[in-house]
Amino acid sequence: MPIASPETYAEMLDRAKSGRFAYPAINVTSSQTLNAALKGFADAESDGIIQVSTGGAEYLSGPSVKDMVTGAVAFAAYAREVAKNYPVNIALHTDHCPKDKLDKFVRPLMGISQERVKRGEEPLFQSHMWDGSAVPVAENMEIAAQLLDEAAKGKIVLEIEVGVVGGEEDGVENAINEKLYTTVEDGLAMVEALGLGEKGRYMAALTFGNVHGVYKPGNVKLRPEVLDHIQMAVGAKYGKEKPLSLVFHGGSGSLLSEIREALDYGVVKMNIDTDTQYTFTRPVADHMFRNYDGVLKVDGEVGNKKMYDPRVWGKAAEAGMAARVVEACEHLRSTGTKLK
C-alpha cells in the first residue's frame, strides 16, 4: 500500500481511539531501520507511524551535510517508494521539534507539503510535532495555533506537547519532578486555543510522568489517570465524550498495565525509540563478538568477507528490530487492525 493519504490517516486515528488501541510510532535514522519498521508492521498486520526526529533527519542527510530538511525529504521520498511493497498503511511523522528549530525543520517541511497539495499531490509528511514543553503554556499555545493553521493548509495533522517529558532526547533535557504531569487547566487552555478539530486536526502529548531514556519496568512513576481527568474535564465543557486524541511519549520502562490504561483514556500513538535502537544494535554486537576474527583482519590476515559484509549483520539487525515492532503492536493492541 502507498503512504497513507490524509483521509486514510484520519481514519486510522479515529479507529484507534474508538477501538482503544494505539499505533507504535517508530523512530528511524536510516534505510535499514525504516525497512525493519515496515517489516514489523507488516508481520503484525498493523498500520503504523514511522517518524524522524531533528537529530535523525540531520543524520539521514549525511554526517558531513547535517541538514535536517534534506534528510527529512530524502527519508520521505525513500519511504514512499519502499512502503508500496508492504500490505499496511504507514503515516510519516516528524518527532520533537523545539522552538529554536522550527524555522530549520517543521516550517520548511510544512511549506513543501503546502506546495505539493496545491499541485494536487499528497503532503510530504502526514503529521509534524511542535514541542513547546520548554516554553510557558501561553506561548506554547500561541505558536501551536499558528502552526495548526499552516498544517491545515497542507492537510497535515499537528502534534503538540503540553507538559514536560523527563529525561533527555536530542539534546533537550528535563528534570524528573512534578512538572511531568499536565494539569486539567493546561488541557482546557489547549482546547481554548486550538479548538476540537474545527481549526485543524491535532494530537496532544499530555504528560503523566513520562520519561525519555532507559528505565527498568516499575521505575517510571506514571499516573495514567491524569489523562482521564483531562478528557473528562474537556468533554464536560464541550459536550463530547473522550474528545482528545492523545500521544504517549517516553514509554520505555512502562508497565504493560499502565500502557493499556493509557489506551483506554484516548492514547492513539505511542513513541518507540530506545527499545528499537537496542534491538537493532544487539544482533550486530552478537555477530561481531562471535565472528571477531572474521570481521577484522587480525594479525595481517584477510578476514572473512562473508562475516564483514554489512548485508550479513544488517539483516540480523533488521530482524531484531522488526520483532520489537511486532511486540509493540501487541502491547498497544494494534495487531491485526490494519485497514483493508
Side-chain angles (χ1 to χ4, degrees):
M1 294 180 185
I3 294 297
S5 67
E7 294 76 19
T8 298
Y9 192 29
E11 185 177 356
M12 285 169 57
L13 298 177
D14 288 342
R15 290 178 73 246
K17 187 160 67 168
S18 63
R20 299 194 175 201
F21 66 89
Y23 298 106
I26 307 298
N27 280 71
V28 302
T29 55
S30 66
S31 60
Q32 284 188 298
T33 49
L34 167 63
N35 286 330
L38 288 169
K39 186 177 188 305
F41 283 124
D43 288 348
E45 296 187 344
S46 170
D47 300 320
I49 300 168
I50 297 179
Q51 60 191 25
V52 289
S53 64
T54 54
E58 184 180 88
Y59 182 79
L60 278 158
S61 75
S64 64
V65 177
K66 294 185 177 181
D67 183 85
M68 293 180 286
V69 172
T70 296
V73 171
F75 155 76
Y78 183 80
R80 192 168 293 276
E81 190 61 35
V82 296
K84 296 176 183 177
N85 299 302
Y86 294 87
V88 288
N89 296 286
I90 299 296
L92 304 181
H93 177 78
T94 62
D95 200 10
H96 292 268
C97 183
K99 182 180 178 181
D100 64 338
K101 293 181 180 177
L102 283 174
D103 289 339
K104 306 173 191 174
F105 192 52
V106 164
R107 287 192 174 111
L109 292 174
M110 282 188 175
I112 291 171
S113 286
Q114 289 171 0
E115 291 301 316
R116 288 171 62 94
V117 169
K118 287 179 183 177
R119 297 195 300 266
E121 302 171 11
E122 302 289 352
L124 187 66
F125 282 83
Q126 285 63 61
S127 51
H128 293 292
M129 182 190 176
W130 147 237
D131 183 352
S133 60
V135 302
V137 173
E139 183 181 2
N140 184 354
M141 293 301 99
E142 181 182 356
I143 294 173
Q146 296 168 358
L147 291 172
L148 184 61
D149 183 58
E150 293 302 312
K153 295 175 184 176
K155 297 184 177 180
I156 299 162
V157 177
L158 182 68
E159 179 184 332
I160 66 167
E161 184 168 314
V162 183
V164 174
V165 176
E168 186 274 335
E169 181 173 62
D170 272 347
V172 178
E173 186 169 358
N174 293 302
I176 299 175
N177 54 36
E178 282 301 311
K179 293 182 180 179
L180 303 188
Y181 304 94
T182 306
T183 67
V184 168
E185 291 72 24
D186 289 342
L188 291 169
M190 174 187 72
V191 177
E192 180 70 24
L194 305 181
L196 286 174
E198 68 276 9
K199 299 179 182 180
R201 182 153 191 162
Y202 67 94
M203 298 180 283
L206 306 181
T207 59
F208 51 103
N210 320 55
V211 179
H212 287 134
V214 185
Y215 296 87
K216 292 182 179 180
N219 284 4
V220 178
K221 305 305 180 185
L222 295 179
R223 301 178 195 163
E225 66 273 12
V226 166
L227 304 180
D228 190 34
H229 296 160
I230 295 172
Q231 286 277 31
M232 291 177 65
V234 173
K237 181 172 181 178
Y238 293 92
K240 294 185 178 182
E241 182 180 357
K242 205 162 62 174
L244 302 173
S245 295
L246 305 179
V247 180
F248 189 157
H249 287 194
S252 296
S254 303
L255 298 173
L256 182 57
S257 59
E258 296 170 332
I259 293 172
R260 294 277 174 83
E261 185 179 354
L263 302 183
D264 292 339
Y265 299 147
V267 166
V268 298
K269 172 181 180 283
M270 179 175 172
N271 290 9
I272 312 287
D273 188 16
T274 301
D275 291 351
T276 46
Q277 286 179 344
Y278 181 78
T279 53
F280 183 85
T281 301
R282 180 64 179 81
V284 179
D286 181 70
H287 177 87
M288 299 304 171
F289 284 129
R290 288 177 181 274
N291 301 284
Y292 179 83
D293 57 351
V295 297
L296 296 178
K297 298 182 179 182
V298 179
D299 296 331
E301 293 297 325
V302 296
N304 184 343
K305 185 179 184 302
K306 291 182 179 180
M307 292 296 103
Y308 62 72
D309 184 336
R311 290 170 294 183
V312 176
W313 49 264
K315 288 177 183 177
E318 290 185 33
M321 179 172 164
R324 182 61 182 86
V325 173
V326 171
E327 181 183 4
C329 292
E330 293 170 352
H331 287 173
L332 299 183
R333 302 177 181 149
S334 71
T335 302
T337 64
K338 70 175 183 177
L339 289 168
K340 305 301 182 183

